Amino acid sequence: MISPAEQRRVVLALCVTQLTGWGILYYAYPVMLAAVAADTGWSTSTAFGAFSVGLLASAVAAPRVGRLLDRVGPRAVMGWGSVLGAVSLLGVAAAPNLFWFVMAWAVVGLAQAAVLYAPAFAALTRWCGSSRVAAITTVTLAGGLAGTVFAPLTALLLRHLSWQGTTVALAVILAVVTIPLHALALTPAWPGAARSPGQVTHDAAGEDDRTVEKAAESDRAYVRRTSHSRPFAFLLAMLGLTGFGLFGATLNLIPFLTERGMGHETAAVIFGLVGVGQLFGRFGYPALSGRLDAPARAALVLGFGAVMVLVLAVFDAPLMLVVAASVGAGVARGIYTLLQATSVSDRWGTRSFGALNGIATVPATVAMVAAPAGAAFLAELVGSYTTAFYLLAALTVVGAALALGSGVRPRGGQTLTVRL
């Protein structure tokens, strides 16, 4: 745990870099999507598919990035990730055809894995100790404003530049803002990063290297044992099912409401209130985390989200009930991010946190990628968005129930479920 002054510096830097990273690497492209399709002649689904490839690449890379982060720390991972993000965006802008465009987005996905929430959460978990929930909450509040800041900024750039020029401008902003902050602010000592095998050159080098290698092998065995345990499997299933249910429902709220006869503008306003609910949920999470252990907290929040989706499926009036249920679903979705961020440390502590959290990031990222189109496809398959919302609520209920099986009993004197 680092000093309060260092914590404030790290949190402030990560607030700025997460807002910028999410805004440029995630929220900006949907704003440019129509311009990309019109200029290239690709269909909207094809153009958006390249972006989805990047998100999938991020999910695939997350476990390896987590293991690397455990070894070298966030300064190197996030610093070079920022460099990769800027360079890969230049590749997107310069892509001569669809193949290279998709490949460039795959590299953007690698950068996302290195600079967005997962490595930031690992840094805050290690450095902030018992203050980690408040620190993570603060950073996610900043990240939650990324779309609010960068969607209109991207639209403004598109008025004066082509989509390629806009992408280049955003790459420059990403580099100028995030590379120096990651290099200058993420400087506290990182456990395990001081020495690796082969770095010692004095007389005891062989013995020291063997000690380091044994420790590394012990950590790898711990990660394998933990990640293959039943509670961890329950955790992954919980994150995947509830992520798909909550993201699928909230991201398809406009077509769901218009199918029920609501005007598009009214539906869009209600959809916007989901974001307000997310902020409310994140503000309230620290108080909730101090009252319930991790499994009960997850079951309560995700069960509440399932009820909100079910209310939307059952009732189409009065309007205020629909609004309240939409905001409530947003509350659950906002807290979902924090549940995912603290799920590993609250159950298994901070040992090998980067590696374990990288694995836990995979189902959440896959759910985020699959939910928009997946829920829409589900609605087509079952014949209506109403029926699809019943099924999404059921998936979320199952995930909430699985949360109760994700608790870990202490063994050997080690506390594995943490109450803050």
Side-chain angles (χ1 to χ4, degrees):
M1 184 170 172
I2 59 179
S3 70
E6 288 179 310
Q7 287 185 30
R8 287 192 293 271
R9 185 185 72 201
V10 167
V11 169
L12 178 60
L14 288 176
C15 281
V16 175
T17 62
Q18 289 302 299
L19 185 149
T20 306
W22 277 101
I24 292 175
L25 297 175
Y26 185 81
Y27 288 105
Y29 184 69
V31 179
M32 294 190 288
L33 186 61
V36 173
D39 179 61
T40 60
W42 304 329
S43 67
T44 300
S45 60
T46 297
F48 199 76
F51 179 71
S52 298
V53 167
L55 294 176
L56 289 174
S58 174
V60 171
R64 290 185 177 274
V65 171
R67 291 195 292 271
L68 179 63
L69 193 143
D70 278 336
R71 292 199 301 272
V72 304
R75 184 171 183 249
V77 170
M78 300 186 77
W80 285 108
S82 295
V83 174
L84 183 63
V87 171
S88 59
L89 285 176
L90 296 178
V92 168
N97 53 49
L98 180 60
F99 173 80
W100 288 111
F101 187 77
V102 172
M103 291 300 99
W105 271 109
V107 180
V108 172
L110 301 182
Q112 289 171 336
V115 301
L116 296 183
Y117 277 154
F121 292 160
L124 295 171
T125 297
R126 285 283 187 92
W127 280 333
C128 296
S130 60
S131 302
R132 67 184 181 274
V133 172
I136 289 171
T137 300
T138 301
V139 170
T140 58
L141 287 172
L145 295 173
T148 305
V149 174
F150 279 92
L153 175 60
T154 303
L156 179 63
L157 289 172
L158 282 170
R159 288 185 184 179
H160 305 284
L161 301 170
S162 65
W163 70 266
Q164 293 96 333
T166 297
T167 303
V168 170
L170 292 173
V172 171
I173 294 171
L174 182 73
V176 169
V177 173
T178 64
I179 294 174
L181 281 175
H182 287 150
L184 298 175
L186 304 184
T187 55
W190 186 255
R195 185 178 65 205
S196 60
Q199 285 185 309
V200 181
T201 57
H202 56 71
D203 293 340
E207 181 179 349
D208 286 345
D209 278 353
R210 285 192 295 272
T211 300
V212 173
E213 288 169 356
K214 287 180 180 178
E217 177 58 32
S218 175
D219 286 341
R220 286 192 292 269
Y222 174 74
V223 170
R224 285 195 299 270
R225 184 172 66 251
T226 302
S227 62
H228 287 79
S229 67
R230 180 176 295 180
F232 202 87
F234 274 62
L235 176 66
L236 296 183
M238 176 201 84
L239 291 171
L241 291 174
T242 57
F244 187 87
L246 291 174
F247 279 82
T250 54
L251 293 174
N252 282 273
L253 190 59
I254 292 177
F256 165 74
L257 293 175
T258 54
E259 182 185 83
R260 304 281 284 267
M262 185 176 292
H264 187 273
E265 290 184 2
T266 303
V269 170
I270 294 175
F271 175 71
L273 294 176
V274 171
V276 176
Q278 289 185 84
L279 290 178
F280 284 155
R282 289 173 182 176
F283 272 120
Y285 183 72
L288 180 65
S289 69
R291 290 174 170 79
L292 295 171
D293 66 8
R297 188 190 322 150
L300 177 64
V301 171
L302 300 174
F304 171 77
V307 170
M308 294 299 100
V309 175
L310 183 62
V311 168
L312 287 169
V314 173
F315 299 99
D316 56 6
L319 179 61
M320 289 309 299
L321 179 61
V322 175
V323 170
S326 300
V327 172
V331 168
R333 180 176 142 179
I335 296 179
Y336 171 89
T337 300
L338 295 171
L339 289 174
Q340 188 273 317
T342 58
S343 60
V344 171
S345 60
D346 282 352
R347 292 166 174 80
W348 291 277
T350 59
R351 181 181 178 185
S352 300
F353 177 81
L356 291 173
N357 191 58
I359 297 171
T361 298
V362 173
T365 304
V366 171
M368 185 171 63
V369 175
F377 175 76
L378 181 63
E380 292 180 7
L381 189 66
V382 299
S384 73
Y385 273 99
T386 297
T387 305
F389 268 51
Y390 278 112
L391 295 175
L392 292 172
L395 285 177
T396 310
V397 166
V398 173
L402 289 173
L404 297 175
S406 66
V408 185
R409 295 178 180 176
R411 290 188 298 177
Q414 183 183 14
T415 301
L416 298 175
T417 298
V418 180
R419 289 180 183 269
L420 300 177

